Amino acid sequence: MDIFGVRVAVLAPTGPECAALREALLACGIAGVRVSDTPARFFSHCLGGGTDLGVIGLGNAAASGFGALNALRAGQGGLNRYLPIIVALAHPTAQIVHEAINCGAHEFLVLPPNVRALSNLIYRAVFISRPFILTSDYSGPCRRRRANPDYKGSERRRAPWPGYVHASHKAQGKEHVG
């Protein structure tokens, strides 16, 4: 799994969270890490170009982190709304994880990070695409992870989306990375 060239912008409002994320990213072999302690600095890193992934640490300021994610997904100020985002928190609740998903996070990371788990999350977020959804009340990657062949409702998927590779199909994902 080659993630060494990935360039990451990190929003981490607390010192310990910042250090944990930075050290874990460096341990994964990622040298291009730009860390910010405010949403404004994070946005400037994202706008500066060359950012492949954003990591938003929620710390003790979940509202600020979700606000930053919502602004990014809205494309405010020319931000790339399609940027893959991993949200991180030390002691998440189910409610926080669901809120992150509903705000448009690609993946969720529990801190402190395991280097292998973080590498896998980065790979999935950056290289295994999911369709991007833009509606009046949601902007972000498709939240559906599994196909349900028995679903009969009106929103039934009629065909797989082009470029869609589920994270569990690692062999297929490697073929698409090229």
Side-chain angles (χ1 to χ4, degrees), residues 11-14 17 21 56-66 87-90 92 96-97 100 108 111:
L11 171 59
T14 66
E17 183 180 50
L21 287 168
I56 297 177
L58 299 179
N60 54 7
S64 175
F66 288 136
V87 173
L89 184 63
I96 292 285
V97 173
F108 197 95
L111 298 174

Side-chain angles (χ1 to χ4, degrees), residues 38-113:
T38 66
R41 287 189 186 125
F42 175 71
F43 293 152
S44 71
H45 291 305
C46 293
L47 283 169
T51 299
D52 301 309
L53 173 70
V55 177
I56 297 177
L58 299 179
N60 54 7
S64 175
F66 288 136
L69 182 52
N70 286 327
L72 188 97
R73 290 296 177 235
Q76 291 180 0
L79 291 167
N80 176 8
R81 68 173 18 161
Y82 306 104
L83 183 70
I85 298 291
I86 295 174
V87 173
L89 184 63
H91 301 288
T93 63
Q95 179 183 353
I96 292 285
V97 173
H98 286 292
E99 189 170 349
I101 291 167
N102 288 332
C103 285
H106 280 75
E107 302 290 342
F108 197 95
L109 173 67
V110 177
L111 298 174

Side-chain angles (χ1 to χ4, degrees), residues 71-162:
L72 188 97
R73 290 296 177 235
Q76 291 180 0
L79 291 167
N80 176 8
R81 68 173 18 161
Y82 306 104
L83 183 70
I85 298 291
I86 295 174
V87 173
L89 184 63
H91 301 288
T93 63
Q95 179 183 353
I96 292 285
V97 173
H98 286 292
E99 189 170 349
I101 291 167
N102 288 332
C103 285
H106 280 75
E107 302 290 342
F108 197 95
L109 173 67
V110 177
L111 298 174
N114 169 306
V115 173
R116 184 173 180 175
L118 179 56
S119 296
N120 288 335
L121 285 179
I122 293 168
Y123 183 80
R124 274 199 320 246
V126 175
F127 297 111
I128 299 179
S129 65
R130 285 192 277 153
F132 203 84
I133 309 297
L134 289 172
T135 66
S136 60
D137 60 348
Y138 176 73
S139 176
C142 180
R143 295 175 279 195
R144 297 178 184 176
R145 292 281 185 150
R146 285 175 248 139
N148 180 355
D150 298 324
Y151 182 79
K152 305 291 184 212
S154 64
E155 295 182 11
R156 169 108 178 116
R157 291 184 185 158
R158 290 182 170 70
W161 288 295

